[in-house]
Amino acid sequence: MKSLQELTRPNIWSLKPYSSARDEYKGAVARVFLDANENPYNNPTNRYPDPLQWEVKKEIAKIKVVPEESIFLGNGSDEPIDLVFRAFCEPAVDNVVAIDPTYGMYQVCADINNVEYRKVLLDENYYFSAEALLAAADANTKMIFLCSPNNPTGNNLSAGEMIKTVEGFEGIVVVDEAYIDFSSEPSFLRELEKYPNLIVLQTFSKAWGSAAIRLGMAFASPDIIAILNKIKYPYNVNLLTQQEGLRVLGNYEQIREWVKTLIAERGRLEALFTSLECVEKVYPSDANFFLAKVTDAVRMYNYLVGEGIIVRNRTNVALCKDCIRVTVGTPAENDELVKTLKQYKG
C-alpha cells in the first residue's frame, strides 16, 4: 500500500478542519452550556448533537467487535462513499475501478466529484477476477469498489478474489457490505487490522430495518477514519437518528430473528418463482432480495405496477437483460406477488 499521505489529496491532508463548540468542550460534566449560541429552550433538541456520535459507536463496537476509533457514522452509506472520493481522488486527475453491474451510487459520486469511473464487467455468473480489476488500474487509480453481496445480482463475491484485490492494490479497496447480515459468508471486518488499505461499509437500512433514519457505517483504520472525520460536516448525524440508532442497537436479538425469517422467506420465494412460467431463471442470492430473469421485464413490471405491486426493473443494467429484482417481503406480501404473477400472461 502507498502511504496514506500519498493517497490523500494534498489539500485534504493539510486541511485544518472546522472546530465546533462541541468539539472544543471536553472534560467534566457541565451544568450550563453558553458556548454554541443555542436556544436555551426546547430541550433536548435545542442542543447540537455529539459530532462524533461516541455513545452510538460504543454500542456498535460491542456488536461488530471493532474499536470505536475505527468507526465512522454518516448520513446513510452514501455519505462515506462521497467522502472517500473527496478525500482521496483529485478531480479530473485520479480514477477509481469498480465491478459492473453494482450499486449505482459509486458512479454517481464519481461523476459529481469529476473522477473517472472505470467499469470491469462481471462474468456470466456475476463473479469477478482480481486480475481483471487490477489490470484496469493505473498509477492514478486511488480506489477499487467491491460490493458483496452485490447489488443488483445478490451473490457473494469470491472472498479469495477479494483478498487478492486488497493485497495486490496500492490504493484503497472499499468493500460495501450493506447486505452482509443475510449472507452465509463472514464479514470483511475481521480483515481490518491486517489490511490498512481496506474500508468496509455497512448500514442500518437493511437487516436493521431502519432505512428512514439514514445511518451508515464505515469501518477502517483509525488513520482513515480521522481523515473522514476531518472533512465531514460538523453535525452530520442528528440527535433523533442517534437516539433511534441506540434503541435499535439495544434490540439486537430482534434483528437476528428478522434476519432468520427473511432468509427462510427468501428460499421459499425463490422456489415459488422457479415454478412460474414467466420466470426463466432465479439467480442465487445472499441478500434480502434476488434477481430473476423473466420473459419480458418491462411488460411484467408494468403489469405488477398496475396491480399495486412494485419490484425493480433492472433490464437496462449491464448483464441484466429482462431481469427484475425482487425484495423479500412479509410472507403475506410474497404470497400476493406470486399469486398475481400466476395470473400474468407474459
Side-chain angles (χ1 to χ4, degrees):
M1 176 186 175
K2 293 180 180 178
S3 71
L4 194 56
Q5 184 171 358
E6 288 179 282
L7 292 172
T8 305
R9 295 171 60 196
N11 65 306
I12 299 298
W13 186 262
S14 60
L15 176 71
K16 183 178 181 180
Y18 173 76
S19 181
S20 71
R22 294 298 175 262
D23 283 319
E24 293 178 5
Y25 165 72
K26 292 180 178 67
V29 175
R31 294 182 296 106
V32 179
F33 285 95
L34 303 175
D35 59 339
N37 302 334
E38 300 152 323
N39 188 325
Y41 305 109
N42 198 37
N43 189 61
T45 54
N46 61 323
R47 301 297 182 187
Y48 287 108
D50 176 5
L52 293 175
Q53 312 94 28
W54 286 117
E55 192 175 355
V56 184
K57 289 178 181 177
K58 180 179 179 181
E59 297 306 311
I60 292 173
K62 293 176 184 176
I63 293 173
K64 301 296 183 179
V65 195
V66 294
E68 296 169 36
E69 294 78 13
S70 288
I71 304 173
F72 175 88
L73 297 182
N75 185 343
S77 294
D78 294 335
E79 182 178 11
I81 290 170
D82 181 58
L83 287 179
V84 295
F85 277 96
R86 289 200 273 152
F88 303 117
C89 295
E90 196 67 52
V93 175
D94 293 328
N95 67 76
V96 302
V97 172
I99 58 173
D100 185 44
T102 194
Y103 181 43
M105 277 303 295
Y106 311 144
Q107 180 163 10
V108 170
C109 286
D111 292 344
I112 290 171
N113 288 282
N114 195 21
V115 173
E116 181 189 356
Y117 185 82
R118 298 182 177 182
K119 301 178 182 181
V120 177
L121 205 62
L122 300 173
D123 67 20
E124 65 276 9
N125 295 313
Y126 299 139
Y127 291 111
F128 83 102
S129 79
E131 183 180 1
L133 275 185
L134 295 171
D138 62 20
N140 290 324
T141 305
K142 288 295 188 68
M143 294 186 293
I144 291 177
F145 281 87
L146 299 170
C147 184
S148 185
N150 192 27
N151 178 12
T153 60
N155 62 306
N156 286 316
L157 301 179
S158 165
E161 293 300 304
M162 293 169 73
I163 290 294
K164 287 180 184 177
T165 303
V166 176
E167 291 182 344
F169 185 50
E170 292 185 333
I172 290 170
V173 177
V174 181
V175 176
D176 190 341
E177 294 187 337
Y179 303 96
I180 194 64
D181 297 279
F182 305 101
S183 173
S184 57
E185 293 291 323
S187 168
F188 259 62
L189 288 179
R190 64 181 185 172
E191 306 291 350
L192 279 180
E193 290 188 9
K194 186 175 180 181
Y195 299 112
N197 62 329
L198 178 63
I199 298 175
V200 177
L201 303 178
Q202 293 187 11
T203 181
F204 277 68
S205 295
K206 310 301 178 184
W208 296 78
S210 300
I213 72 173
R214 308 311 303 129
L215 187 57
M217 299 170 278
F219 303 89
S221 70
D223 290 337
I224 288 179
I225 296 299
I227 290 174
L228 300 183
N229 283 331
K230 186 191 323 193
I231 64 175
K232 76 175 183 67
Y233 291 123
Y235 303 106
N236 61 321
V237 179
N238 68 69
L239 175 64
L240 301 180
T241 292
Q242 292 188 43
Q243 290 175 336
E244 180 61 13
L246 285 169
R247 187 194 71 78
V248 173
L249 286 162
N251 202 28
Y252 186 52
E253 288 307 311
Q254 177 64 74
I255 306 304
R256 295 178 71 176
E257 288 303 312
W258 286 345
V259 169
K260 289 179 183 178
T261 299
L262 288 167
I263 290 174
E265 270 300 292
R266 180 185 70 201
R268 187 179 76 90
L269 186 56
E270 287 173 333
L272 290 170
F273 249 65
T274 301
S275 67
L276 294 171
E277 291 183 3
C278 56
V279 175
E280 296 182 357
K281 182 176 182 178
V282 175
Y283 292 94
S285 174
D286 280 273
N288 68 329
F289 64 86
F290 60 84
L291 193 70
K293 184 173 178 59
V294 300
T295 51
D296 188 329
V298 174
R299 186 176 177 186
M300 178 183 286
Y301 175 81
N302 290 334
Y303 165 74
L304 288 172
V305 169
E307 296 296 320
I309 299 174
I310 311 301
V311 295
R312 196 80 188 268
N313 179 8
R314 300 281 75 190
T315 195
N316 292 324
V317 174
L319 302 178
C320 295
K321 173 69 174 173
D322 278 321
C323 287
I324 62 168
R325 193 188 70 192
V326 180
T327 304
V328 179
T330 64
E333 290 172 330
N334 299 333
D335 288 341
E336 185 175 355
L337 169 62
V338 173
K339 178 182 177 181
T340 304
L341 285 176
K342 285 181 177 179
Q343 300 168 358
Y344 168 68
K345 307 299 181 183

